[in-house]
Amino acid sequence: MTTVYSPVDGKKLYDVADGNVEEAYARARKFAPKVAEMSPRQRAEYCKKLQYYIAENRESILDRVIAETGKSRFDALSSEIFATLDVIHYYSLHGPKLLKDRKLPFSLAFMGKTSKIYYEPLGVVLVISPWNYPFYQAVVPLVNAFIAGNAVVYKPSEVTPLKGLVEEVLEKSGFPAEAMQIVYGGKEVGQRLVEFGADKIFFTGSRNTGKKIMEAAAKKLTPVELELGGKDPMIVFEDVNIERTVNGALWGALTACGQSCTSVERLYVHQSIFEPFKKTLEEKLVKLRTAVPGEEVVKNLNLDVGTMTAKFQSAIVSEQVAAAVHAGAAIYMPRDHYSDLHLSPVLLTRVTHQMEVMVEETFGPVLPMTSFKTEAEAVEMANDSPYGLSASVWSKDLVRAERVARAIKTGNVSINNVMYTEANPGLPFGGTKDSGFGRYKGEYGLYTFCNVKSVLIDQQSNKIEPHWYPYTPEKYAALSKLIDGMFSRGASLLKFISAGLRIESLAQKQKL
Ligand code: NAD
């Protein structure tokens, strides 16, 4: 049993009982063949129904999401509704095409044969999600896995389970609700779901939990995809438009109150514009409208920064800031915190990589900022992190910006924008280093949920393959010639054909 609390006023919202792991798997296993039997086009049609329902009922969905997360309504509209719809739209449109059997280009060595790839379902995919984007993190992995032909067992976070909401959306939209079995509960339920054995685990959450899941999954060799935390750097060169770039930095650091895996968590500004950049940041930070206790959050269309979602996360944020200040960081905070969930956004300067706030994920409304002298130094600082999820590079010089984008060890980079790779559902999303591995979304992300099967089709005939028995000295010599004709320095088409014909004729004569 879990109790869910409102981040807006701290009051209890509801209790939710732990789900039954065995029953959920049994139902998913039973329904998985039905999903697999549907054509990708049929699945896409179901996804379209889901898309229309979410678009048409977005306001009531938003009420529920904000009541549990404390997000500003605009944040929730863009990241939970728009972004979710965009992915559904992408897969409804492109999924069936991407899942068609693919024929490989013809090669001389395989004359008379056809090589194909089939994209087949895996069966039952277990999706475990975090609390920061509870609607998006439920629907997007579902659609990804479903369009590829799988059934899903889904465990939302115990912090923001959105009890009953996703079930209602699936049922009322006309989507086959049996395709997604929702199991409520916390860590122990998550552990049992992992141990029970899915055909694939798609996990989004913290690095530490990711490690535990991978360890547990290894016992049954269940494949895992891990979408973990980040400590995203933003690198700003001297030739930027300061006004626009400051706006980008503020939004990147503070959207969802900084509780996004791809939030800007470290800001590196060229020393020649450090002071004017900082001054503009401070001027704009003061103007942001942040959540105030007792004032409307759910229906407030003028709110920029919402509340923190969970008290335990606020405590981590406050501890990191206090430790940085203790170690010499300068703090700019436009107002005091109103409560432990209503945090004031914070700008930190005089920070170093010896401080936790510059290396560990903060996941709150904090922007630590320092300067760099050279491009090499900026890259070195950006890469001085255990994480590698996303990054942004800002410069008018696009050649330089792309050079830096290549040099940063990360899964995603936006140039002259922030968190924007995520806005294109055709781009795969995922991390490197401690941010995890694997990709979802886009073409690459679709195949994450497929058994990519290689198929070679030959004709029925009396022809014997040259590499079949019996092995003879003549065939050995002919194969050696073929290697020379194909791969040695003097290789040529003529030599290849002549050796090929020789070995072929030997194979047909020297039969077992
Ligand atoms: P978390 O790791 O604490 O929990 C995530 C989920 O795992 C929850 O549903 C939880 O109940 C479950 N869980 C916990 N222990 C488990 C176990 N031993 N076995 C199975 N399940 C278990 O993470 P969180 O605090 O909910 O989310 C915040 C983290 O998620 C941050 O690090 C953030 O960066 C990351 N995140 C990453 C992405 C991404 O796409 N890379 C997106 C959003 C959030």
Side-chain angles (χ1 to χ4, degrees):
M1 166 88 81
T2 317
T3 303
V4 182
Y5 294 95
S6 157
V8 178
D9 57 20
K11 289 191 185 135
K12 175 179 162 177
L13 290 173
Y14 56 82
D15 288 324
V16 55
D18 286 357
N20 187 315
V21 170
E22 291 73 17
E23 275 179 18
Y25 269 111
R27 282 198 292 267
R29 286 262 168 241
K30 198 165 163 213
F31 198 71
K34 296 202 175 91
V35 184
E37 275 163 22
M38 294 174 198
S39 70
R41 198 149 290 289
Q42 272 174 305
R43 289 180 220 135
E45 276 159 23
Y46 283 126
C47 289
K48 266 277 166 224
K49 289 183 180 193
L50 188 61
Q51 177 193 313
Y52 295 142
Y53 183 88
I54 294 171
E56 285 152 17
N57 294 276
R58 59 184 179 269
E59 294 300 332
S60 59
I61 295 171
L62 283 175
D63 288 347
R64 284 292 314 274
V65 170
I66 300 165
E68 287 184 36
T69 59
K71 276 177 201 205
S72 67
R73 202 165 181 97
F74 198 96
D75 267 349
L77 181 67
S78 66
S79 62
E80 301 266 22
I81 300 291
F82 187 95
T84 303
L85 290 172
D86 215 15
V87 176
I88 306 178
H89 179 252
Y90 172 86
Y91 278 133
S92 307
L93 201 64
H94 301 290
K97 222 171 30 223
L98 295 172
L99 291 166
K100 275 199 176 134
D101 295 352
R102 193 174 294 185
K103 236 180 175 177
L104 261 64
F106 174 81
S107 148
L108 260 186
F110 292 95
M111 237 180 337
K113 301 173 173 63
T114 311
S115 298
K116 278 188 180 180
I117 298 172
Y118 300 162
Y119 299 100
E120 295 184 343
L122 294 168
V124 174
V125 175
L126 170 63
V127 174
I128 298 183
S129 292
W131 46 261
N132 58 334
Y133 289 102
F135 191 70
Y136 177 95
Q137 293 291 358
V139 178
V140 169
L142 163 71
V143 166
N144 238 283
F146 175 81
I147 201 94
N150 304 287
V152 170
V153 171
Y154 168 64
K155 193 195 88 60
S157 162
E158 61 277 34
V159 181
T160 54
L162 300 178
K163 183 180 160 187
L165 176 69
V166 177
E167 292 91 323
E168 185 185 325
V169 167
L170 295 180
E171 242 161 61
K172 291 194 174 162
S173 65
F175 190 87
E178 303 98 306
M180 177 136 158
Q181 298 296 326
I182 303 181
V183 184
Y184 294 104
K187 182 172 142 189
E188 292 74 23
V189 172
Q191 275 168 346
R192 278 195 281 126
L193 284 165
V194 170
E195 284 159 10
F196 198 88
D199 297 306
K200 172 134 197 178
I201 299 171
F202 180 83
F203 172 75
T204 308
S206 64
R207 170 175 58 183
N208 286 347
T209 310
K211 285 183 184 171
K212 286 182 198 155
I213 286 180
M214 195 165 161
E215 206 181 328
K219 297 207 174 92
K220 287 196 173 167
L221 276 183
T222 310
V224 291
E225 161 138 1
L226 301 180
E227 300 284 347
L228 310 178
K231 189 74 193 166
D232 292 1
M234 170 170 175
I235 298 177
V236 180
F237 285 99
E238 69 291 344
D239 56 353
V240 298
N241 174 317
I242 291 184
E243 176 78 14
R244 176 176 186 272
T245 312
V246 163
N247 279 301
L250 279 180
W251 183 81
L254 302 177
T255 182
C257 201
Q259 301 163 107
S260 175
C261 54
T262 51
S263 296
V264 172
E265 293 235 346
R266 298 178 282 152
L267 175 58
Y268 302 105
V269 180
H270 191 266
Q271 61 173 11
S272 63
I273 58 161
F274 186 84
E275 282 310 321
F277 201 91
K278 176 171 166 259
K279 188 165 166 278
T280 316
L281 259 176
E282 288 173 352
E283 283 163 11
K284 288 182 184 287
L285 200 61
V286 180
K287 293 185 194 155
L288 287 178
R289 293 151 306 175
T290 55
V292 175
E295 287 183 9
E296 181 61 37
V297 169
V298 177
K299 301 281 185 189
N300 188 347
L301 299 184
N302 288 312
L303 185 64
D304 295 315
V305 183
T307 70
M308 290 294 288
T309 301
K311 286 189 183 171
F312 60 80
Q313 194 60 45
S314 291
I316 294 171
V317 173
S318 301
E319 277 161 27
Q320 283 192 9
V321 171
V325 171
H326 184 74
I331 184 167
Y332 176 75
M333 195 162 94
R335 57 164 176 74
D336 286 338
H337 299 320
Y338 290 117
S339 78
D340 47 8
L341 285 169
H342 296 75
L343 297 188
S344 171
V346 166
L347 178 66
L348 292 174
T349 47
R350 293 209 307 260
V351 287
T352 69
H353 280 216
Q354 274 64 54
M355 298 171 181
E356 229 187 352
V357 80
M358 286 296 275
V359 263
E360 283 308 321
E361 194 175 40
T362 305
F363 226 56
V366 179
L367 185 55
M369 172 188 182
T370 189
S371 64
F372 66 89
K373 287 194 201 78
T374 62
E375 180 182 320
E377 194 190 0
V379 170
E380 196 185 322
M381 288 200 282
N383 283 337
D384 181 21
S385 167
Y387 291 105
L389 189 55
S390 187
S392 67
V393 183
W394 303 68
S395 172
K396 273 198 189 99
D397 179 349
L398 291 182
V399 173
R400 167 168 68 179
E402 284 209 52
R403 192 167 58 228
V404 172
R406 285 183 205 279
I408 302 175
K409 292 186 179 70
T410 187
N412 313 269
V413 186
S414 297
I415 292 177
N416 292 321
N417 216 307
V418 64
M419 293 166 83
Y420 219 52
T421 55
E422 288 161 83
N424 182 351
L427 281 173
F429 182 80
T432 59
K433 302 200 277 185
D434 285 4
S435 294
F437 49 80
R439 295 291 181 267
Y440 77 120
K441 303 208 295 186
E443 182 175 351
Y444 288 97
L446 183 58
Y447 301 145
T448 287
F449 296 95
C450 293
N451 173 30
V452 179
K453 188 182 273 179
S454 298
V455 181
L456 187 290
I457 303 169
D458 201 355
Q459 315 293 323
Q460 258 306 322
S461 70
N462 58 0
K463 241 180 104 209
I464 301 297
E465 289 297 339
H467 60 276
W468 291 356
Y469 303 127
Y471 294 158
T472 66
E474 293 85 359
K475 275 168 76 175
Y476 188 91
L479 181 59
S480 295
K481 272 210 157 150
L482 188 69
I483 291 171
D484 285 337
M486 284 178 85
F487 305 116
S488 298
R489 271 174 227 280
S492 71
L493 185 63
L494 206 66
K495 286 184 185 167
F496 163 69
I497 293 173
S498 137
L501 289 174
R502 166 81 181 139
I503 195 169
E504 187 66 48
S505 103
L506 283 172
Q508 304 319 317
K509 277 187 216 148
Q510 302 178 334
K511 292 182 184 172
L512 264 186

